């Protein structure tokens, strides 16, 4: 599967506006028009979850919002609404770097990390002002339910999924709050103490971006959720945890760039040794596969891992296609190269790869050539016992493709929370990026629309992530003890059987 990533830098005239200066409506409308035309031509997932009428409607709304001049941040929030509405976790729209840095200067951020626990927003930091674990009901008069809904657009997920947005809220709540509501001189927090109902209020004061980041690094839940936000040093591990149960943890599929990479080869050898061991120890009848921290990565790590868990032949996906062979709107396309001649070579190489993998136009689409989606056999040492797969809202991209294959094509018992990556498919594999000519806002999306090789199941809903067989979230009591609710539930389930 094509994995090229085209990033940054076009030579276009730079128009400088201050943070508070308003942009002329005609320039914003020009950027919005280009934004739409790019996505209509290049984004094969534009109508994956939304009808044309729905897409037309949100653009009508967007244009109605810019009849008058607007500040860049306000225009950015309009663009974000559209980006999120499309329904792809690979969508990413960013402010110009210089603007975002200036916008984040000074003491402007909510000081403490928060976390969603049992649908409650709780304080996730030990401090002397508001006790750890306190439930937050409102901030500066904005009720939590309304507050959270207003921040969802800052963190995209597949389809109509909401659970995955908790990952963005947990890591960047203060940043999102500041973007959405502007700099605050203080925060009036309405809250209740842990396990109490009486509402209290406390005024706390903003901190710098550096302090915000430092507090997040020292959040209370770090022992449990560190791997959700940081790439693991130990990307995978295997251990026997009892006489009849083993645990395979794969925290990421960022394990080398391709099948020839030394990291991937080492991973494949590691899997060989693990499953050879399981094959030789038939008393181990249960395998827990923990991919709760797996936000994706590169081929063929996901597919190789699945080959050790299935008993029948499989494909990576049922179908895949792109919208184009020649890059639309190359003047706004963002390249790695800065030299004009090298940029042209880069674009040609990229287009040649697309033509090789997606060679023919069929019904206004370019489907993937079958040689890039071969029928694959299970590994000879594939596990034949009972699989228990642990999932979470963090699972995305290649992580969700793997989890979908396991959930759909094996007898695995799936435990945890709905993933942010879709069960039936997603847009992925090949990200491209454009820069809008006036505002310099950058927008990235993936161009391969793929349907995963999974069966329809009653409990799996189109437009949603992978739905677990046992919906188990961390309880508040376990949060306060940094205890892994899902893991211990699984152990208990195995013991009962």
């Amino acid at each position: 599967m094509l994995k090229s990533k085209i990033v940054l830098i076009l030579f276009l005239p730079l128009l400088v506006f201050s943070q508070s200066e308003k942009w002329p409506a005609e320039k914003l409308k020009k950027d919005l028009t280009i934004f739409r035309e790019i996505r209509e031509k290049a984004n094969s997932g534009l109508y994956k979850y939304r009808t044309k009428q729905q897409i037309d409607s949100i653009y009508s709304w967007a244009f109605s919002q810019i009849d008058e001049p607007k500040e860049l941040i306000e225009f950015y929030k309009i663009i974000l609404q559209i980006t999120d509405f499309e329904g792809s976790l690979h969508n990413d729209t960013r402010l110009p770097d210089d603007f975002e840095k200036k916008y984040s200067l000074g003491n402007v951020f909510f000081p403490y990390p928060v976390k969603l626990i049992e649908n409650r927003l709780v304080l996730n930091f030990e401090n002397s002002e508001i006790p750890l674990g306190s439930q937050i009901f409102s901030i500066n008069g904005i009720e939590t339910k309304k507050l959270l809904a207003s921040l969802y657009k800052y963190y995209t997920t597949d389809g109509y999924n909401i659970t995955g947005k908790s990952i963005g809220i947990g890591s960047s709540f203060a940043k999102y709050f500041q973007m959405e509501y502007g700099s605050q001189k203080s925060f009036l927090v309405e809250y209740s103490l842990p396990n109490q109902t009486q509402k209290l209020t406390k005024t706390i004061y903003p901190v710098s971006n550096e302090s915000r980041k430092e507090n997040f690094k020292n959040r209370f839940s770090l022992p449990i959720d560190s791997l959700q936000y940081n790439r693991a040093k130990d990307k995978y591990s295997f251990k026997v945890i009892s006489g009849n149960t083993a645990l395979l943890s794969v925290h990421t599929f960022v394990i080398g760039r391709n099948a020839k990479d030394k990291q991937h080869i080492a991973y494949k050898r590691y899997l060989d040794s693990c499953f050879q061991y399981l094959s030789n120890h038939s008393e181990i009848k249960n395998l827990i596969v923990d991919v709760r921290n797996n936000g994706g990565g590169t081929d063929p790590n996901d597919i190789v891992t699945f080959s050790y868990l299935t008993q029948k032949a499989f494909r990576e996906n049922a179908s895949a296609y792109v919208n184009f062979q020649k890059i639309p709107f190359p003047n706004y396309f963002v390249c790695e190269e800065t030299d004009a001649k090298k940029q042209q070579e880069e674009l040609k190489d990229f287009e040649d790869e697309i033509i090789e993998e997606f060679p023919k136009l069929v019904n206004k689409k370019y489907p993937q050539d079958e040689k890039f989606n071969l029928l694959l056999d299970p590994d000879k040492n594939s596990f034949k016992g009972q699989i228990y797969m642990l999932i979470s809202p963090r699972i995305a991209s290649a992580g969700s493709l793997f989890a979908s294959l396991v959930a759909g094509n094996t007898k695995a018992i799936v435990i945890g929370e709905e993933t942010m990556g879709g069960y039936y498919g997603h847009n992925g594999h090949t990200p491209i990026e454009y820069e809008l000519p006036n505002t310099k806002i950058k927008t990235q999306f993936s161009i391969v629309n793929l349907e995963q090789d999974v069966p329809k199941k009653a409990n799996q809903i189109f437009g949603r992530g992978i739905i677990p067989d046992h919906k188990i979230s961390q309880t508040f009591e376990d949060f306060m003890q940094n205890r892994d609710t899902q893991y211990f539930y699984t152990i208990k389930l195995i013991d009962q059987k």
Side-chain angles (χ1 to χ4, degrees):
M1 178 62 72
L2 188 66
K3 288 292 181 186
S4 304
K5 181 175 180 179
I6 306 297
V7 208
L8 306 189
I9 309 171
L10 272 183
F11 293 111
L12 293 170
L14 182 62
L15 300 177
V16 180
F17 285 73
S18 70
Q19 295 175 37
S20 59
E21 187 173 351
K22 293 188 175 182
W23 286 69
E26 61 270 19
K27 290 189 179 295
L28 299 181
K29 287 184 177 181
K30 176 66 173 176
D31 272 11
L32 183 56
T33 299
I34 291 170
F35 180 85
R36 180 176 187 172
E37 290 175 347
I38 286 169
R39 299 182 100 78
E40 287 176 338
K41 292 285 187 181
N43 186 359
S44 60
L46 183 61
Y47 303 113
K48 193 175 185 75
Y49 302 107
R50 307 294 183 183
T51 65
K52 186 177 187 306
Q53 184 179 9
Q54 288 173 319
I55 294 295
D56 289 346
S57 178
I58 196 169
Y59 276 101
S60 294
W61 165 81
F63 277 105
S64 74
Q65 301 300 301
I66 50 177
D67 284 338
E68 301 291 335
K70 280 196 174 293
E71 293 179 18
L72 179 59
I73 191 70
E74 296 304 317
F75 178 67
Y76 173 67
K77 286 189 271 190
I78 292 169
I79 293 288
L80 282 183
Q81 284 281 104
I82 301 170
T83 304
D84 182 48
F85 186 71
E86 289 176 359
S88 175
L89 62 83
H90 290 102
N91 284 359
D92 184 24
T93 299
R94 308 191 322 277
L95 286 161
D97 293 339
D98 288 345
F99 180 92
E100 188 163 346
K101 288 176 183 177
K102 291 177 182 177
Y103 197 74
S104 300
L105 289 176
N107 293 338
V108 296
F109 294 102
F110 188 81
Y112 303 128
V114 296
K115 190 172 185 179
L116 285 167
I117 302 290
E118 298 180 323
N119 294 318
R120 293 179 285 174
L121 189 67
V122 302
L123 205 71
N124 189 17
F125 191 79
E126 293 185 291
N127 67 96
S128 60
E129 295 185 301
I130 300 176
L132 169 73
S134 293
Q135 180 180 355
I136 297 173
F137 295 99
S138 70
I139 300 175
N140 286 352
I142 309 164
E143 293 184 357
T144 297
K145 185 176 181 180
K146 178 182 177 182
L147 172 59
L148 293 176
S150 72
L151 304 185
Y152 284 165
K153 61 180 171 284
Y154 293 95
Y155 195 86
T156 57
T157 52
D158 276 350
Y160 320 118
N161 173 268
I162 296 297
T163 61
K165 295 179 183 295
S166 65
I167 301 300
I169 299 294
S171 64
S172 303
F173 176 82
K175 182 179 178 181
Y176 296 166
F177 189 103
Q178 194 264 344
M179 282 189 176
E180 184 68 14
Y181 297 102
S183 300
Q184 308 288 311
K185 293 181 179 179
S186 62
F187 300 97
L188 179 63
V189 182
E190 183 182 36
Y191 68 98
S192 66
L193 297 173
N195 298 314
Q196 296 187 25
T197 58
Q198 181 184 359
K199 291 184 178 179
L200 308 170
T201 58
K202 178 74 175 180
T203 298
I204 59 178
Y205 294 93
V207 298
S208 67
N209 199 29
E210 290 72 23
S211 294
R212 174 187 75 86
K213 292 178 180 179
E214 192 64 26
N215 286 349
F216 179 71
K217 289 178 183 177
N218 294 304
R219 65 194 181 280
F220 175 75
S221 64
L222 181 66
I224 289 293
D225 63 21
S226 62
L227 296 176
Q228 288 186 349
Y229 301 105
N230 301 304
R231 191 167 295 170
K233 291 181 180 178
D234 298 320
K235 297 181 178 182
Y236 47 88
S237 64
F238 174 84
K239 63 180 177 180
V240 177
I241 57 177
S242 73
N244 66 354
T245 303
L247 169 66
L248 173 68
S249 299
V250 186
H251 303 304
T252 180
F253 286 130
V254 182
I255 311 172
R257 301 185 66 178
N258 52 49
K260 297 180 180 180
D261 192 287
K262 291 180 180 178
Q263 287 188 50
H264 168 76
I265 293 170
Y267 176 58
K268 177 67 167 63
R269 287 174 180 165
Y270 186 83
L271 289 176
D272 280 338
S273 65
C274 295
F275 284 89
Q276 179 68 55
Y277 180 89
L278 291 174
S279 181
N280 292 337
H281 290 77
S282 58
E283 71 276 11
I284 301 177
K285 300 184 181 302
N286 306 297
L287 176 64
I288 302 172
V289 179
D290 186 357
V291 287
R292 287 175 294 173
N293 303 301
N294 198 314
T298 54
D299 285 343
N301 298 299
D302 48 356
I303 301 305
V304 164
T305 310
F306 179 66
S307 73
Y308 288 94
L309 301 175
T310 184
Q311 307 306 315
K312 55 186 179 181
F314 66 99
R315 297 182 190 275
E316 180 175 15
N317 44 264
S319 65
Y321 70 88
V322 297
N323 275 5
F324 65 87
Q325 288 181 328
K326 283 194 70 67
I327 294 169
F329 302 98
N331 288 343
Y332 309 121
F333 194 79
V334 177
C335 295
E336 287 183 336
E337 298 290 349
T338 57
D339 176 76
K341 183 178 178 181
K342 290 183 177 179
Q343 283 185 356
Q344 292 303 312
E345 292 173 355
E346 181 181 323
L347 295 181
K348 185 180 184 304
D349 289 345
F350 183 66
E351 290 173 344
D352 287 346
E353 290 184 51
I354 294 175
I355 291 168
E356 181 184 9
E357 185 167 348
F358 305 92
K360 297 178 182 178
L361 182 65
V362 180
N363 296 326
K364 300 181 180 180
K365 302 173 183 177
Y366 293 93
Q368 184 184 47
D369 190 285
E370 288 186 2
K371 69 182 180 182
F372 291 92
N373 188 35
L374 299 174
L375 188 66
L376 304 171
D377 292 321
D379 189 88
K380 63 181 180 180
N381 289 316
S382 63
F383 183 69
K384 296 174 176 60
Q386 179 61 60
I387 299 167
Y388 297 81
M389 182 170 66
L390 304 186
I391 64 172
S392 83
R394 181 67 185 93
I395 296 175
S397 193
S400 58
L401 187 148
F402 166 81
S404 295
L405 292 175
V406 175
N409 297 319
T410 76
K411 295 181 180 179
I413 296 171
V414 184
I415 298 164
E417 299 174 89
E418 179 185 352
T419 66
M420 80 166 90
Y423 171 78
Y424 288 105
H426 65 277
N427 257 62
H429 290 294
T430 308
I432 62 175
E433 189 167 45
Y434 287 89
E435 184 177 86
L436 301 181
N438 293 312
T439 60
K440 306 303 178 186
I441 287 173
K442 294 184 177 70
T443 184
Q444 184 183 101
F445 52 91
S446 289
I447 64 172
V448 182
N449 189 329
L450 59 93
E451 299 299 320
Q452 285 153 194
D453 188 20
V454 295
K456 289 185 178 180
K457 297 182 71 174
N459 69 326
Q460 302 297 343
I461 305 163
F462 177 76
R464 295 277 299 278
I466 300 154
I467 309 296
D469 300 309
H470 297 251
K471 182 181 177 182
I472 305 296
S473 304
Q474 188 181 40
T475 65
F476 179 75
E477 290 73 20
D478 283 351
F479 164 74
M480 294 297 288
Q481 297 178 39
N482 268 324
R483 179 180 165 89
D484 190 337
T485 305
Q486 295 156 348
Y487 174 79
F488 285 106
Y489 175 90
T490 306
I491 295 298
K492 185 176 180 181
L493 190 64
I494 292 171
D495 290 343
Q496 287 174 346
K497 290 193 173 184

